[in-house]
């Protein structure tokens, strides 16, 4: 198996912390991810409902760019992952669309046979392909004492993803038990964060975000782990506004799961993109982990 | 002398004629196949008129062989064999070739299906010429019967036979008979007390002079066949001397080790390391659970042994293998509950006050861990509202596609019990309400009147994530009420999951031992779904109750009685016919290599030391043909399936390929024309 890497637009801008931490973690685990040359935007959540044919073609271009040496395409962003996966399936099952997309690709000198590339989410690759043994072997800073709330969002766990229970996913939960963290099994881990609802109806979006923060706080989580730039943005950037709106006092850091995985692997926090989040994560993490070390040395 | 063959091609209404040009094939066979004296088609060959036609032809035309092209031999081989013998022909000179299940039902293209039917008929005609007259054998039916599973279905079968004067070995793998019914408080729709109607049957079976009760025992192996099965039963060690024990119960009372009872109490209560599952257990002989007993753990205690007034405790007792011989077997091994943890969004195992239906049965039960008080897991709070979720693991293609049939009714029963015992509100979340047996719909109407609330919709999740102050500390059931078309949230104190009935874990394995098969899901396959629901494809093996598919108590009892009636019929008749389709060894040519001896899956081959040759024990042989293929000297013949017959059949099937070249190409061209 050889992995091509599709970072997606967000990782180049708003969620540079995700990009940075993915790269650091991958390097630490001694694992190759080759970034696609000249990839383009996946159309995010909206494009499919605007113009299905164009959206499919634009996404198919990324699949077609995967060269013969790679058979896996890894996406860290939930929306990119879903779009790529959905497109591959659509092309396989709907010959009509496929015919047109083939034409569009041919105009750019490209070809794609559905199923040639396996689209994978980064979590799946880390969980399944690298696996418990290899990851545990590299843990130098167990996350003992840290209460993490894994948040999957609603896009990674659609039934077509094929690697976790779509109704109640557990793979990220499991991975963080490998790292020694106290994993919070809270009920809303796969509920929607509202996506772009903040741009359409703030009140509704705030309510969706509040539910997530509330449940994690009820279960006494120290922080929430994300796997999608959109989810991270909603819960982190809007946390202050949610607090104002509902008169609540949430102060939950929202970090990418790769950042915390990086901490466990002993990577310097600076290299993991910490500090970019609005609700600061570093003090919480350091407080918990150092408290733990202090207790241990006593 | 050339044979005179009659060919009969059946329309089966439109079942065959819809896809196969039956008339054309019959005509073609009459005109083109050697030795065919008569060839006819008919609407329903199996009707009495159809059979009469064959009989008349045999007599009038002096037919020596008959080929019928119709349905599966499973259905009508016996019918047509009988017709032939009525007309004085040896029935084994008839061949029934299947152009329905193997042809018309599975093909779409009419002309291709017709060609396949033509090849099948041609094959049968060639084969039948080489068939030989055979004489069936008759064996005595051993009047003793083995019943596996002591639930209500198995008990019913046992008592019917025992009362009719026949001996029954009842094998139950748990320490007591009774099955799931013993765990219930009340039974729908009449609300009789479950124990009151079950325990009389249990003690009757326990004391019946014609019943040998083997509890805490399992089937090890079966050999032989209908009429004379040889069965090995493993009697697991109870660590208690069955005969010496008086059932006083002192040992249980004094045993210091308490463990969670995940069997009878469904995890709601405790039992001791030495235990009888419930007060009315039959037999009243306890069992030591070696995994929890202190003596087996660290060689301490032996309190039970010290206190037993009859010295019945035997720590070193070992499993015992018991050999029995029976004529028939009834399998009544029941069901097991769906594991509700497989639907994590319903929170079972994570949210304390989510219960399975079996847990709730124990909670309601006056003899249960709370003496029938409906309280939450804290053991004291009475719930103010209860949600009952239907179809958990049933009617769900991620788990089981089928409807479990009983859980709507069990949900109504729970509703009634809750309304009777508490002031709680009860909500039922159903997809469809399935209440289609006698007095079931009336029970539903009764519950509507009693104030149980019904929400039509599949629950999407049960959560403790409150959104509103009224939801704080509650379990919230999220569900689309499809009658008003709205997502709704119902905060409740307790949730009951109506889990599916599933086949036993070892159903397939047990079926294999007895030679019967299971459906995709693991329910035993009956001989015919409508007309023969308790027999199986293996003669002498019957099924009864929920091991054949989900059903309620009345239906399980009916099947238990039906299976017993079938067995009683066999016993009364006294003899069963055994197919003469068996292997035989040409002992003159046998080199005595013994290769076949160990190959036979039925142990039907013995070695004769004096002559140093092998011999088939005809009564045990099932005609599987394994030894025929294995014999390096080629001296074993399978009657009715010998090489000549099989090669002739293959040649017949390839009739068009075997034509001379020129002819075969013109033949191929004329096919569409003749088919039209
Ligand atoms: C919550 C709930 C409530 C219900 N309430 C009612 C009700 O009120 N009224 C009603 O009509 N129906 C009710 N039912 C349905 C009822 O449980 C079944 O109809 C009934 O149990 C079927 O009886 P059975 O003998 O087929 O199987 P079981 O009761 O399952 O008995 C099978 C027996 O075989 C034994 N066994 C299994 N495998 C082996 C083996 N390999 N070797 C030896 N022994 C073996 C088992 O230990 C068991 O004793 C309810 C079901 C549920 C889930
Ligand atoms: S020896 Fe075992 S069964 Fe007997 S009293 Fe002690 S713990 Fe109980
Ligand atoms: S004390 Fe002895 S006689 Fe009494 S129930 Fe126990 S084993 Fe049987
Ligand atoms: S009986 Fe009712 S609850 Fe049970 S599976 Fe069928 S429809 Fe669902
Ligand atoms: S055909 Fe041969 S192998 Fe098969 S049952 Fe008979 S003796 Fe045994």
């Amino acid at each position: 198996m050889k992995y091509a890497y599709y970072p997606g637009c967000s990782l180049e801008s708003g969620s540079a912390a995700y990009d940075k931490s993915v790269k650091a973690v991958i390097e630490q685990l001694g694992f190759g991810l080759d970034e696609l040359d000249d990839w383009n935007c996946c159309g995010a959540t909206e494009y499919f409902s605007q113009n299905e044919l164009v959206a499919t073609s634009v996404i198919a271009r990324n699949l077609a760019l995967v060269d013969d040496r790679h058979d896996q395409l890894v996406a860290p962003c939930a929306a990119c992952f879903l779009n790529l996966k959905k497109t591959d399936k659509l092309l396989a099952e709907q010959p009509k669309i496929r015919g047109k997309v083939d034409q569009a690709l041919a105009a750019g000198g490209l070809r794609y046979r559905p199923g040639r590339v396996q689209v994978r989410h980064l979590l799946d690759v880390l969980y399944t392909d690298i696996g418990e043994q290899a990851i545990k072997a590299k843990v130098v800073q167990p996350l003992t004492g840290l209460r993490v709330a894994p948040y999957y969002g609603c896009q990674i766990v659609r039934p077509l993803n094929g690697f976790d229970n779509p109704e109640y996913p557990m793979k990220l939960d499991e991975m963080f038990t490998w790292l020694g963290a106290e994993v919070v099994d809270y009920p809303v881990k796969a509920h929607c964060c509202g996506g772009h609802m903040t741009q359409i109806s703030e009140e509704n979006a705030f309510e969706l975000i509040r539910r997530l923060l509330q449940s994690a706080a009820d279960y006494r989580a120290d922080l929430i782990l994300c796997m999608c730039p959109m989810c991270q943005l909603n819960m982190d950037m809007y946390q202050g506004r949610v607090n104002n709106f509902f008169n609540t006092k949430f102060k939950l850091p929202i970090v990418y799961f790769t950042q915390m995985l990086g901490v466990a692997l002993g990577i310097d926090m600076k290299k993991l993109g910490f500090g970019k989040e609005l609700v600061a994560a570093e003090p919480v993490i350091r407080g918990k982990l150092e408290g733990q070390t202090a207790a241990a040395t006593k | 002398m050339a044979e005179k063959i009659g060919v009969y091609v059946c329309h089966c209404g439109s079942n065959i004629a819809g896809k196969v040009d039956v008339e054309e094939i019959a005509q073609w066979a009459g005109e083109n196949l050697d030795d065919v004296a008569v060839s006819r088609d008919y609407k329903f060959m199996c009707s009495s008129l159809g059979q009469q036609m064959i009989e008349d032809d045999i007599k009038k035309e002096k037919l020596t062989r008959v080929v019928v092209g119709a349905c599966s031999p499973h259905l009508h081989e016996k019918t047509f064999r009988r017709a032939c013998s009525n007309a004085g022909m040896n029935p084994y000179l008839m061949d029934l070739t299947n152009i329905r299940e193997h042809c018309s039902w599975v093909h779409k293209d009419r002309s291709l299906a017709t060609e396949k039917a033509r090849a099948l008929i041609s094959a049968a005609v060639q084969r039948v010429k080489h068939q030989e007259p055979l004489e069936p054998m008759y064996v005595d039916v051993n009047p003793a019967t083995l019943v596996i599973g002591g639930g209500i279905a198995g008990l019913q079968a046992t008592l019917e036979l025992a009362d009719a004067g026949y001996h029954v070995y009842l094998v139950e793998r748990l320490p007591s008979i009774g099955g799931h019914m013993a765990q219930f408080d009340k039974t729908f729709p009449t609300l009789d007390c479950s124990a009151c109607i079950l325990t009389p049957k249990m003690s009757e079976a326990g004391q019946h002079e014609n019943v040998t009760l083997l509890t805490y025992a399992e089937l090890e192996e079966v050999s032989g066949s209908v009429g004379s099965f040889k069965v090995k039963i493993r009697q697991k060690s109870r660590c208690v001397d069955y005969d010496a024990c008086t059932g006083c119960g002192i040992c249980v009372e004094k045993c210091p080790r308490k463990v969670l009872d995940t069997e009878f109490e469904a995890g709601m209560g405790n039992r001791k390391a030495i235990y009888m599952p419930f007060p009315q257990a039959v037999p009243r002989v306890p069992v030591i659970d070696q995994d929890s007993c202190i003596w087996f753990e660290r060689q301490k205690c032996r309190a039970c042994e010290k206190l037993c007034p009859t010295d019945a405790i035997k720590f070193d007792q070992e499993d015992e293998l018991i050999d029995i011989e029976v004529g028939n077997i009834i399998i009544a091994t029941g069901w097991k509950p769906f594991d509700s943890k497989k639907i994590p969004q319903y929170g079972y195992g994570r949210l304390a006050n989510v219960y399975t239906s079996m847990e709730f049965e124990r909670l309601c039960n006056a003899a249960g861990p709370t003496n029938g008080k409906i309280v939450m897991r804290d053991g004291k709070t009475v719930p103010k509202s209860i949600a009952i979720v239907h179809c958990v693991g049933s009617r769900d293609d991620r788990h089981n596609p089928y409807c479990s049939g009983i859980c709507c009714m069990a949900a109504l029963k729970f509703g009634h019990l809750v309304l009777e015992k508490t002031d709680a509100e009860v909500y039922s979340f159903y997809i469809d309400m399935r209440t289609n047996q006698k007095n079931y719909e009336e029970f539903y109407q009764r519950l509507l009147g009693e104030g149980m609330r019904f929400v039509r919709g599949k629950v999407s999740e049960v959560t403790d994530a409150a959104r509103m102050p009224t939801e704080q500390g509650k379990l919230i059931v999220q569900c689309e009420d499809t009658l008003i078309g709205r997502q709704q949230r119902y905060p409740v104190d307790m949730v009951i999951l109506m889990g599916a009935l599933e086949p036993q874990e070892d159903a397939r394995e047990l079926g294999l031992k007895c030679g019967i098969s299971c459906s995709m899901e693991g329910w035993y396959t009956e001989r015919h779904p409508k007309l023969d629901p308790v027999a199986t494809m293996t003669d002498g093996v019957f099924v009864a109750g929920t091991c054949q598919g989900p059903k309620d108590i009345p239906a399980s009892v009916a099947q238990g009685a039906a299976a017993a009636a079938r067995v009683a019929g066999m016993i009364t008749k006294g003899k069963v016919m055994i197919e003469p389709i068996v292997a035989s060894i040409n002992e003159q040519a046998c080199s005595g290599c013994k290769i076949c001896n160990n190959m036979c899956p039925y142990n039907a081959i013995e070695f004769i030391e004096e002559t140093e040759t092998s011999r088939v024990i005809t009564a045990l042989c099932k005609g599987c043909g394994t030894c025929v293929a294995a014999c390096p000297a080629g001296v074993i013949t399978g009657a009715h399936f010998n090489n000549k017959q099989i090669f002739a059949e293959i040649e017949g099937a390839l009739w068009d390929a075997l034509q001379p070249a020129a002819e075969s190409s013109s033949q191929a061209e004329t096919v569409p024309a003749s088919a039209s």
Side-chain angles (χ1 to χ4, degrees):
Chain A
M1 266 188 268
K2 279 211 81 171
Y3 303 87
Y5 179 55
Y6 176 88
C9 314
S10 304
L11 275 77
E12 290 206 323
S13 49
S15 45
Y18 201 5
D19 192 51
K20 238 177 144 177
S21 56
V22 169
K23 287 187 173 140
V25 160
I26 288 300
E27 193 189 302
Q28 188 76 3
L29 290 170
F31 179 78
L33 278 187
D34 306 325
E35 186 166 331
L36 275 190
D37 199 23
D38 197 31
W39 54 268
N40 55 263
C41 172
C42 78
T45 39
E46 288 80 4
Y47 209 5
F48 255 107
S49 37
Q50 297 291 323
N51 185 333
E52 191 180 47
L53 181 63
V54 182
T56 315
S57 310
V58 166
I59 300 164
R61 180 174 178 276
N62 293 310
L63 292 167
L65 286 176
V66 180
D67 62 29
D68 289 342
R69 280 167 301 151
H70 297 86
D71 57 352
Q72 313 276 313
L73 181 60
V74 184
C77 162
C80 305
F81 164 70
L82 183 65
N83 280 341
L84 290 162
K85 190 109 188 159
K86 194 155 76 180
T87 297
D88 190 36
K89 194 170 151 73
L90 214 69
L91 293 178
E93 291 173 1
Q94 304 207 11
K96 259 208 202 127
I97 295 189
R98 187 179 164 191
K100 293 194 177 149
V101 170
D102 279 349
Q103 277 179 16
L105 291 178
L110 291 170
R111 275 187 54 185
Y112 181 66
R113 178 172 50 76
R116 180 171 71 78
V117 172
Q118 233 196 322
V119 179
R120 310 275 302 273
H121 187 268
L122 180 68
L123 173 66
D124 180 19
V125 172
L126 290 169
Y127 180 93
T128 314
D129 298 4
I130 300 186
E132 178 173 2
Q133 299 273 304
I135 290 181
K136 268 186 170 166
K138 298 234 160 141
V139 172
V140 295
Q141 166 66 69
L143 304 180
T144 325
L146 192 65
R147 291 180 62 83
V148 300
Y151 177 66
Y152 297 77
C154 67
Q155 302 208 74
I156 285 182
V157 293
R158 302 280 163 96
L160 61 87
N161 82 3
F163 79 94
D164 207 345
N165 186 325
E167 300 276 4
Y168 204 85
M170 284 301 281
K171 297 276 154 98
L172 188 58
D173 293 56
E174 281 177 49
M175 181 181 291
F176 272 74
T177 58
W178 304 344
L179 308 179
E182 276 180 45
V183 180
V184 168
D185 187 5
Y186 68 130
V188 297
K189 59 178 89 176
H191 283 210
C192 176
C193 75
H196 288 165
M197 185 57 79
T198 46
Q199 312 304 305
I200 302 160
S201 160
E202 277 198 339
E203 286 175 31
N204 280 314
F206 289 170
E207 170 58 13
L208 292 176
I209 297 166
R210 183 193 70 83
R211 288 177 192 169
L212 306 180
L213 298 171
Q214 183 69 56
S215 183
D218 287 348
Y219 274 77
R220 295 180 297 110
D222 295 326
L223 50 81
I224 295 181
L225 301 169
C226 276
M227 300 192 272
C228 169
M230 189 81 238
C231 308
Q232 198 277 341
L233 180 118
N234 276 346
M235 288 189 287
D236 182 40
M237 210 169 94
Y238 286 97
Q239 200 171 116
R241 305 222 13 223
V242 167
N243 278 336
N244 287 340
F245 193 84
F246 292 105
N247 208 5
T248 46
K249 293 201 178 68
F250 297 121
K251 205 172 164 225
L252 271 165
I254 317 293
V255 300
Y256 293 103
F257 81 105
T258 41
Q259 292 181 286
M260 285 317 300
L261 175 57
V263 171
L265 297 176
I267 303 169
D268 186 351
M269 287 180 88
K270 279 188 214 91
K271 288 196 193 149
L272 292 166
F274 282 103
K276 295 212 178 340
E277 69 284 354
L278 295 189
V279 182
E282 255 191 85
V284 173
I285 299 167
R286 284 199 194 284
K288 286 282 171 176
L289 295 184
E290 272 157 24
Q292 208 53 40
T293 334
T297 47
K298 249 182 226 166
Chain B
M1 194 191 76
E3 303 296 345
K4 289 186 80 176
I5 307 174
V7 174
Y8 300 89
V9 191
C10 182
H11 292 238
C12 195
S14 61
N15 275 306
I16 298 174
K19 277 284 176 294
V20 169
D21 190 342
V22 176
E23 290 158 29
E24 192 268 326
I25 296 240
Q27 192 186 344
W28 174 83
E31 290 167 3
N32 293 282
L33 298 177
D34 294 343
D35 304 336
V36 173
V38 192
S39 184
R40 302 182 197 277
D41 61 281
Y42 191 65
K43 266 255 167 297
F44 291 103
M45 261 348 284
C46 59
S47 66
S48 47
L49 287 177
Q51 297 180 48
Q52 193 59 49
M53 181 159 91
I54 300 178
E55 291 179 28
D56 291 347
D57 280 352
I58 294 176
K59 289 183 197 147
K60 251 196 262 134
E61 307 284 337
K62 307 238 169 330
L63 298 181
T64 60
R65 295 285 192 273
V66 165
V67 166
V68 183
C71 53
S72 165
H74 277 315
L75 289 170
H76 277 306
E77 192 168 58
K78 278 201 186 112
T79 313
F80 296 119
R81 279 188 180 162
R82 200 180 325 111
C84 291
S85 21
N86 288 347
M89 178 194 272
N90 183 290
Y92 294 89
L93 299 178
M94 187 282 306
D95 194 46
L96 171 57
T97 188
N98 185 353
I99 58 168
R100 193 178 74 174
E101 285 86 339
H102 286 180
C103 186
S104 66
W105 276 0
V106 290
H107 296 301
K108 288 205 181 104
D109 183 300
R110 185 173 166 86
S111 67
L112 291 175
T114 301
E115 284 323 300
K116 180 166 173 185
R118 191 191 310 280
L120 288 169
I121 296 281
S122 164
V125 166
Q126 298 311 326
R127 166 189 228 286
V128 84
K129 291 180 194 171
H130 300 280
Q131 279 176 209
E132 287 160 3
L134 299 171
E135 292 306 326
M137 296 165 295
Y138 292 88
V139 297
D140 291 339
V141 176
N142 183 329
T145 303
L146 167 66
V147 175
I148 310 173
I152 188 62
L155 280 173
Q156 185 70 28
T158 300
L159 291 175
E160 299 270 353
L161 284 167
D163 285 344
Y166 303 122
H167 198 87
V168 179
Y169 296 94
L170 175 57
V171 172
E172 164 60 52
R173 83 168 148 210
L174 297 179
S176 168
I177 54 173
H180 283 101
M181 201 179 156
Q183 291 169 278
F184 303 156
D185 182 33
K186 297 276 162 46
T187 54
F188 60 72
T190 45
L191 299 170
D192 334 52
C193 144
S194 192
C196 312
I197 57 177
L198 175 71
T199 49
K201 282 185 189 283
M202 289 169 57
S203 50
E204 210 183 321
Q207 284 160 20
H208 207 295
E209 53 177 2
N210 288 331
V211 178
T212 304
L213 203 56
L214 296 166
T215 54
Y216 210 50
E218 274 178 68
L219 183 88
E220 188 82 1
E221 105 193 3
V222 179
S223 63
S225 57
V226 56
S228 57
F229 288 107
K230 289 190 173 42
V231 182
K232 225 184 246 317
I233 306 289
R234 174 176 295 273
Q235 172 65 64
K236 290 178 281 182
S237 155
R238 288 182 119 90
C239 296
V240 172
D241 182 331
Y242 196 91
D243 299 319
C245 170
T246 58
C248 69
I250 290 175
C251 54
V252 176
E253 198 189 312
K254 300 294 180 190
C255 170
R257 174 56 66 82
K258 245 192 203 159
V259 289
L260 193 67
D261 181 357
T262 52
E263 257 162 24
F264 189 78
E265 293 294 359
M268 297 293 288
N270 296 326
R271 61 161 167 78
K272 297 290 185 64
I274 183 164
Y275 70 106
M276 298 180 221
F278 50 104
Q280 307 95 322
V282 172
R284 263 192 76 76
V285 178
V287 164
I288 294 186
D289 165 13
Q290 302 187 11
D291 293 333
S292 24
C293 164
I294 300 171
W295 173 252
F296 285 97
E297 188 183 280
R298 52 187 150 91
Q299 273 71 58
K300 291 253 164 61
C301 185
R302 300 185 91 128
C304 51
E305 186 185 50
K306 279 170 224 140
L307 294 165
C308 174
T310 61
D311 290 333
I313 304 285
K314 299 275 175 271
F315 288 104
D316 55 358
Q317 195 178 56
E318 288 188 354
D319 286 8
E320 192 186 338
L321 289 176
I322 302 170
D323 289 307
I324 58 175
E325 294 186 4
V326 295
N328 291 281
I329 299 174
I330 298 174
I331 303 182
T333 47
W335 57 278
K336 76 162 190 351
F338 173 75
D339 173 9
S340 294
K341 284 193 178 143
K342 287 190 185 155
I343 306 188
Q345 64 269 32
Y346 289 171
Y348 179 70
R350 178 165 49 88
L351 303 170
N353 288 304
V354 177
Y355 291 74
T356 65
S357 55
M358 287 311 287
E359 286 178 334
F360 194 72
E361 282 287 357
R362 295 310 300 155
L363 194 60
C364 278
N365 196 307
T370 58
N371 300 321
K373 266 218 281 320
I374 298 175
V375 287
M376 308 215 287
R377 294 265 189 210
D378 65 5
K380 44 181 199 278
T381 317
V382 178
K384 294 199 181 64
S385 48
I386 298 184
I388 305 180
V389 182
H390 290 227
C391 304
V392 176
S394 307
R395 308 179 69 199
D396 179 337
D397 53 14
R398 285 165 293 185
H399 304 285
N400 297 301
Y402 53 81
C403 164
S404 292
I406 51 88
C407 11
C408 279
M409 283 302 291
L412 293 171
K413 172 174 79 175
F414 290 169
H416 172 84
L417 294 174
V418 172
L419 292 169
E420 188 183 64
K421 294 184 183 192
T422 71
D423 295 326
E425 297 260 16
V426 191
Y427 297 88
S428 137
F429 295 87
Y430 69 100
I431 313 179
D432 299 289
M433 195 53 86
R434 303 225 158 144
T435 52
N436 62 345
Q437 298 297 325
K438 189 173 174 187
N439 290 330
Y440 283 13
E441 183 64 17
E442 292 88 326
F443 190 63
Y444 177 24
Q445 292 303 323
R446 173 172 171 186
L447 265 295
L448 282 165
E450 287 179 7
M452 187 169 173
R453 307 203 175 185
F454 295 89
V455 180
R456 196 188 80 178
K458 187 155 171 85
V459 170
S460 59
E461 69 174 345
V462 177
T463 178
D464 59 345
R467 286 184 195 162
M468 287 158 265
T470 47
E471 296 179 351
Q472 281 307 334
K474 300 273 185 180
L475 294 172
I476 304 105
V477 177
Q478 172 96 37
C479 177
E480 182 189 350
D481 183 334
T482 55
L483 292 181
I484 56 170
R486 271 182 56 179
Q487 280 288 337
Q488 300 274 72
R489 287 167 68 81
Y490 298 85
V492 295
D493 293 327
M494 183 186 265
V495 173
I496 307 167
L497 304 179
M498 302 308 294
L501 304 193
E502 287 189 341
Q504 295 283 4
E505 212 71 71
D506 63 346
R508 228 167 264 284
E509 202 187 317
L510 182 78
L512 215 61
K513 284 181 185 163
C514 301
I516 67 169
S517 58
C518 297
S519 66
M520 288 279 280
E521 293 87 29
W523 305 111
Y524 290 125
T525 312
E526 60 283 5
R527 186 177 271 264
H528 192 282
K530 291 154 203 126
L531 305 180
D532 212 352
V534 296
T536 67
M537 284 300 179
T538 298
D539 290 334
V541 179
F542 299 86
V543 288
T546 38
C547 62
Q548 178 258 2
K551 53 181 70 66
D552 55 14
I553 293 168
S556 301
V557 169
Q559 282 202 338
R566 293 293 300 272
V567 169
M570 308 264 298
I571 300 172
T572 321
K573 208 170 159 199
K575 283 188 186 305
V576 274
M577 193 196 90
I578 305 245
E579 285 280 9
I581 301 173
V582 291
S584 58
I585 298 178
N586 178 349
E587 285 173 36
Q588 250 93 55
C590 172
S591 70
C593 72
K594 286 190 178 176
I595 286 180
C596 60
N597 293 207
N598 298 326
M599 288 259 171
C600 175
Y602 306 100
N603 289 325
I605 304 185
E606 59 182 350
F607 191 72
I608 315 290
E609 297 293 345
E610 301 92 79
T611 54
E612 295 201 328
T613 53
S614 299
R615 180 194 291 161
V616 175
I617 307 166
T618 317
L620 296 182
C621 172
K622 303 234 184 211
C624 73
T626 306
C627 58
V628 178
C631 177
V635 300
I636 311 185
T637 315
H640 214 56
F641 289 93
N642 65 29
N643 287 354
K644 250 202 281 170
Q645 291 159 355
I646 288 173
F647 285 122
E649 192 169 6
I650 295 171
E651 273 177 30
L654 301 174
W655 65 276
D656 51 347
L658 296 173
Q659 303 279 329
E663 220 181 294
S664 81
S665 66
S666 74
Q667 185 76 34
E669 276 161 27
T670 60
V671 165
S674 67
S676 62

